[in-house]
Amino acid sequence: MTAPRARTRTAPRKVLGRLSLPERAFVADALRTETVGGVLLLLAAVAALIWANIPALHHSYEAAADFHLGPGALGLNLSVAHWAADGLLAVFFFVAGIELKRELVAGDLRDLRAAVLPVIAALCGMAVPALVYTLTAVTGHGSTLGWAVPTATDIAFALAVLAVIGTSLPGALRAFLLTLAVVDDLFAILIIAVFFTDRLNFAALGGAVAALAVFWLLLRKGVRGWYVYVPLAVVIWALMYNSGVHATIAGVAMGLMLRCTTREGEEHSPGEHVEHLVRPLSAGLAVPVFALFSAGVKVSGGALQDVFTKPETLGVVLGLVVGKALGIFGGTWLTVRFTRASLSEELAWADVFAVASLAGIGFTVSLLIGELAFAGDTVLTDEVKAAVLVGSLIAAVCATVLLKIRNAKYRRLCAEEERDDDLDGIPDVYEQDDPAYHLRMAEIHERKAAEHRRIAAERAAAARHGLAEVTGGAGEESDRPA
């Protein structure tokens, strides 16, 4: 009778574990640019609030935002604020499209098992705020049109908060936040396209689709040159704007068409190269200018009181502060609970909740959706914008407190991730299975041991020499006459 075979048990998959070295390098580079852009975004938002709330300057702010320019014959005689929202934000969504494509083909989202966590967390992080807003609005007999306002996360603003408070998140949590924001942007784009398109010009839409097809063919043929793609991109954007579909969709579509995998002889894919060139323009110009002309709302004691008393504005605040945190944390917990995964030993659920609270900072896309949702009501639009600012500020404060409590642990984890004792430019944690690394470390330790032996020998010789001097002196003293 044959003995029964032992049942092999697979180790549970770890979530929020250490990133691979290439992914770590990409995330660090992307977040570095976003952090700088986030600081500029904060400055632009503060400047907008000051400009709009100083009585002597308020009129000039409104005049600048409402100043019209552009060819009217092409349907593009738009205000400066409109150009910022529909034109400059197309650059932001173009970068978002490239990020999403890279994540799908070369990043964490290419592996279905790894993609489950950020996708479910992002979906729950959008569904719960929308539910919180809707319940608040219905209970208070308010408008449910703004259900999508608190669903978006602003990664640049969140990273700016991290930079200001000096908190060093471990790489895994930073990557989780970035991936959350990428998936968040994707669904925000879908929400804008599906729910905020109230009219369609099929001729313009057909022209935009045809121009996108030309864009794709040129990419497939390997045609290069900004002088080809930039004019074509402007044509695609103009046609998309006139079609009735929000013009930022054109940016996403073009971003998704870029190739984000490397071929033989390439150090970087075309998508990564273009993203590297355009991301500073998006983070340093497009988003701050949009914030400058969107965040300038009148702030007063009465206005702030209205934020917490009107159902629409209260729904936005609760959606960002409560809904985001509970949605992302709950989605993450459910994923770990029902996929036989386990949280990385280096992290705790308190860390996940802190990051979920940080994701409650919704600024750029939330402001945009607020403008679209209440386009016919200027007063309510401004009140919803104020609610976005207040909710984001409260979420930032809550996240700051939670992250500061864990900051000592984060510093230790970051120091461990950065340690490079063999000075080869690669952190030691990524070389534990490399025999060459251990040989280098053995050589380093041997040199240190040899140095310590030399120092010990010198000290021993010095001690013997000193003892000899003391002994000789005693002999001389004993020879003195009585």
Side-chain angles (χ1 to χ4, degrees):
M1 184 175 179
T2 57
R5 289 183 299 175
R7 183 178 298 175
T8 58
R9 297 182 61 184
T10 57
R13 184 173 57 87
K14 300 294 182 184
V15 297
L16 299 182
R18 186 174 291 118
L19 302 175
S20 66
L21 191 58
E23 186 71 8
R24 176 180 180 273
F26 174 82
V27 168
D29 183 60
L31 294 184
R32 192 178 302 112
T33 305
E34 291 288 359
T35 301
V36 174
V39 173
L40 294 176
L41 177 63
L42 281 173
L43 294 175
V46 172
L49 289 170
I50 293 173
W51 193 1
N53 285 278
I54 293 179
L57 300 177
H58 177 70
H59 178 72
S60 66
Y61 178 81
E62 290 188 339
D66 197 46
F67 181 78
H68 280 63
L69 67 159
L74 299 177
L76 297 175
N77 185 246
L78 311 176
S79 67
V80 170
H82 206 159
W83 276 111
D86 283 49
L88 289 178
L89 275 195
V91 179
F92 167 79
F93 280 106
F94 174 69
V95 174
I98 300 175
E99 287 178 340
L100 178 62
K101 179 69 173 289
R102 198 204 73 85
E103 288 289 338
L104 289 171
V105 301
D108 287 343
L109 299 183
R110 74 185 186 279
D111 180 2
L112 183 60
R113 293 189 306 166
V116 167
L117 176 64
V119 170
I120 292 180
L123 281 173
C124 293
M126 300 183 80
V128 176
L131 180 62
V132 168
Y133 175 92
T134 303
L135 290 175
T136 306
V138 169
T139 303
H141 306 289
S143 172
T144 58
L145 293 176
W147 63 269
V149 175
T151 60
T153 294
D154 195 306
I155 183 65
F157 211 145
L159 292 173
V161 171
L162 289 179
V164 170
I165 66 176
T167 297
S168 299
L169 278 182
L173 288 177
R174 285 179 174 265
F176 179 58
L177 184 61
L178 179 62
T179 309
L180 267 178
V182 170
V183 179
D184 194 296
D185 286 341
L186 168 65
F187 288 108
I189 292 159
L190 293 176
I191 288 172
I192 291 171
V194 174
F195 295 99
F196 297 103
T197 300
D198 54 359
R199 61 176 180 83
L200 280 177
N201 182 329
F202 287 100
L205 183 60
V209 173
L212 281 169
V214 173
F215 187 89
W216 179 76
L217 284 173
L218 291 175
L219 290 173
R220 286 293 296 260
K221 296 293 183 181
V223 176
R224 298 188 177 186
W226 65 267
Y227 45 84
V228 175
Y229 291 103
V230 172
L232 181 58
V234 172
V235 170
I236 293 170
W237 174 86
L239 288 169
M240 191 69 75
Y241 175 81
N242 282 287
S243 74
V245 178
H246 200 270
T248 53
I249 305 300
V252 179
M254 287 184 282
L256 288 172
M257 288 182 179
L258 291 176
R259 177 169 58 83
C260 292
T261 53
T262 55
R263 293 175 179 171
E264 187 176 353
E266 290 182 339
E267 185 177 355
H268 300 288
S269 68
E272 288 178 294
H273 178 67
V274 172
E275 182 184 7
H276 182 73
L277 294 175
V278 180
R279 184 186 286 274
L281 177 64
S282 170
L285 176 66
V287 175
V289 170
F290 168 75
L292 182 64
F293 290 104
S294 290
V297 295
K298 294 284 288 183
V299 177
S300 63
L304 292 176
Q305 183 179 354
D306 288 344
V307 166
F308 296 99
T309 56
K310 288 193 173 182
E312 295 89 352
T313 51
L314 180 60
V316 170
V317 173
L318 293 178
L320 289 172
V321 178
V322 179
K324 271 289 183 183
L326 292 181
I328 293 173
F329 180 82
T332 305
W333 186 87
L334 288 172
T335 303
V336 172
R337 174 67 178 81
F338 291 105
T339 60
R340 294 183 59 210
S342 63
L343 194 65
S344 172
E345 294 90 348
E346 297 176 338
L347 301 174
W349 284 110
D351 303 312
V352 178
F353 190 80
V355 172
S357 300
L358 188 64
I361 300 174
F363 191 78
T364 306
V365 179
S366 292
L367 291 176
L368 176 62
I369 294 178
E371 291 182 354
L372 297 174
F374 301 103
D377 191 335
T378 305
V379 174
L380 189 53
T381 298
D382 285 345
E383 290 174 343
V384 167
K385 286 183 179 181
V388 170
L389 296 175
V390 171
S392 298
L393 179 60
I394 295 173
V397 171
C398 292
T400 297
V401 173
L402 294 173
L403 292 171
K404 279 295 186 181
I405 292 173
R406 310 283 293 174
N407 203 30
K409 179 178 181 179
Y410 295 155
R411 281 199 297 266
R412 289 195 299 271
L413 290 176
C414 288
E416 182 66 20
E417 288 180 356
E418 297 292 334
R419 188 165 57 85
D420 182 20
D421 289 341
D422 60 343
L423 303 177
D424 66 343
I426 300 175
D428 294 341
V429 292
Y430 292 97
E431 299 183 294
Q432 298 302 313
D433 297 328
D434 184 5
Y437 162 75
H438 294 286
L439 290 174
R440 288 194 299 272
M441 290 306 300
E443 185 179 344
I444 291 171
H445 289 311
E446 181 56 38
R447 285 201 302 268
K448 289 181 178 179
E451 179 66 14
H452 286 305
R453 285 194 292 268
R454 182 187 64 78
I455 293 173
E458 289 178 353
R459 288 178 178 174
R464 287 196 299 270
H465 181 65
L467 182 61
E469 288 183 352
V470 171
T471 303
E476 291 170 3
E477 188 177 346
S478 61
D479 291 339
R480 288 184 301 172

